[in-house]
């Protein structure tokens, strides 16, 4: 694998996440920094987020709508050019033929030089959607590049590289310092997830302390990722290139 030149950034990126908020956690600071430098950033959310609540009695269609709106705000906070939704059922994601064709079509249409997604080889990953989303992005890249796969889904397009976030074995490090605050702000756009994922009880007295705890946790992760790489804060990836 060839080293990337100093100061490299992609021209156009497609970041693929299982749920609204996954991309922000995995690579939000990196996408912000790239977008600010002129990279066109497009997000693809695979599922509808309909399991993302601890409430038993809830209007699920309303939750899905809310999560789309939250994801749009988060995308704008990162400086993304757009966000697309495949609307597959949350918690029931499959990496089957139909799903692969749908992601392949998005890759062929958006034509990103760099694709980002969950690392399917990360060990002991609990959530099935995160495992399947990783498989799906890898399989869809292979399909997108070769014209004999899904010829009805547009002309073949070969991205240059795949960067896997939450990587089991990171070998590509990006500076997360300039985009760190935007990453936090984008995560906080996911108001429906404050309680279940972000650990914040809105409106209760310790809300500020809980927000600070979230920032501390994200900062600690980014500090660990940066260790030995010359940055204060970083996001780490596994890079697959050429594809
Ligand atoms: Zn998720």
């Amino acid at each position: 694998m060839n080293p990337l030149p100093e100061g490299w950034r992609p021209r156009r990126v497609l970041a693929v996440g299982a749920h609204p908020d996954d991309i922000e956690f995995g690579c939000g600071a990196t996408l912000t920094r790239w977008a600010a430098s002129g990279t066109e950033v497009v997000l693809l959310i695979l599922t509808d987020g309909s399991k993302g609540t601890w409430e038993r009695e809830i209007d699920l269609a309303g939750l899905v709508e809310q999560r789309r709106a939250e994801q749009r705000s988060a995308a704008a906070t990162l400086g993304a050019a757009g966000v697309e939704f495949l609307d597959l059922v949350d918690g029931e994601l499959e990496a089957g033929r139909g799903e692969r064709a749908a992601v392949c079509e998005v890759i062929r249409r958006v034509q990103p030089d760099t694709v980002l997604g969950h690392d399917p080889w990360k060990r002991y990953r609990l959530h099935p959607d995160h495992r399947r989303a990783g498989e799906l992005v890898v399989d869809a890249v292979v399909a997108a590049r070769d014209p004999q796969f899904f010829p009805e889904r547009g002309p073949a397009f070969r991205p240059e590289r795949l960067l896997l976030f939450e990587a089991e074995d990171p070998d590509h490090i990006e500076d997360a310092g300039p985009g760190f605050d935007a990453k936090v702000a984008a995560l906080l756009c996911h108001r429906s997830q404050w309680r279940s994922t972000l650990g914040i009880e809105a409106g209760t007295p310790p809300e500020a302390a809980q927000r600070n705890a979230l920032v501390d946790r994200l900062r600690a992760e980014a500090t660990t990722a940066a260790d030995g790489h010359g940055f204060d804060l970083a996001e780490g990836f596994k890079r697959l290139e050429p594809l």
Side-chain angles (χ1 to χ4, degrees):
M1 193 169 65
N2 294 331
L4 291 164
E6 184 80 21
W8 167 86
R9 69 169 173 81
R11 291 183 305 282
R12 188 181 299 139
V13 156
L14 178 69
V16 183
H19 310 109
D21 80 11
D22 285 335
I23 293 170
E24 291 82 340
F25 272 118
C27 56
T30 299
L31 294 183
T32 300
R33 203 185 89 248
W34 286 343
S37 309
T39 296
E40 185 182 339
V41 173
V42 177
L43 312 184
L44 174 64
I45 311 300
L46 298 172
T47 74
D48 61 7
S50 56
K51 299 286 195 301
T53 180
W54 286 353
E55 312 295 325
R56 264 181 81 88
E57 304 296 326
I58 191 168
D59 164 22
L60 278 185
L63 175 65
V64 168
E65 246 343 281
Q66 181 182 355
R67 297 204 67 184
R68 273 173 171 263
E70 290 169 349
Q71 185 61 68
R72 288 202 178 92
S73 303
T77 302
L78 301 179
V83 51
E84 302 195 17
F85 300 89
L86 280 195
D87 277 331
L88 301 165
V89 177
D90 188 352
E92 302 174 15
L93 184 62
E94 298 290 346
R97 191 177 187 281
E99 294 82 3
R100 195 194 309 186
V103 178
C104 165
E105 180 179 311
V106 176
I107 294 170
R108 287 176 174 174
R109 176 162 41 79
V110 173
Q111 302 196 338
D113 55 279
T114 302
V115 177
L116 296 98
H118 299 266
D119 181 356
W121 295 286
K122 185 176 174 77
R123 296 191 299 165
Y124 309 121
R125 196 195 266 291
L126 190 63
H127 201 298
D129 289 351
H130 296 161
R131 285 185 261 125
R132 307 261 155 67
E135 264 179 66
L136 194 46
V137 75
V138 172
D139 295 355
V141 162
V142 171
R145 70 184 189 183
D146 293 336
Q148 294 302 328
F149 284 88
F150 310 118
E152 73 287 2
R153 301 282 186 145
F157 176 81
R158 185 187 293 263
E160 291 169 34
R161 68 193 62 78
L162 185 51
L163 294 177
L164 300 172
F165 50 77
E166 305 156 351
E168 175 72 22
D169 183 18
D171 60 4
H172 178 90
I173 304 298
E174 288 287 336
D175 183 4
F180 182 80
D181 289 348
K183 172 176 180 153
V184 173
L187 280 165
L188 289 171
C189 290
H190 296 278
R191 181 70 190 233
S192 66
Q193 305 305 295
W194 277 23
R195 185 165 172 237
S196 57
T197 303
L198 302 177
I200 302 170
E201 293 278 358
T204 60
E207 182 184 318
Q210 290 168 344
R211 278 177 182 246
N212 290 340
L214 170 69
V215 173
D216 289 347
R217 173 163 72 90
L218 294 169
R219 190 177 292 281
E221 282 171 11
T223 302
T224 302
D227 190 34
H229 297 284
F231 303 117
D232 291 332
L233 302 172
E235 287 170 338
F237 303 87
K238 177 70 184 179
R239 179 162 66 103
L240 304 187
E241 183 173 4
L243 300 177

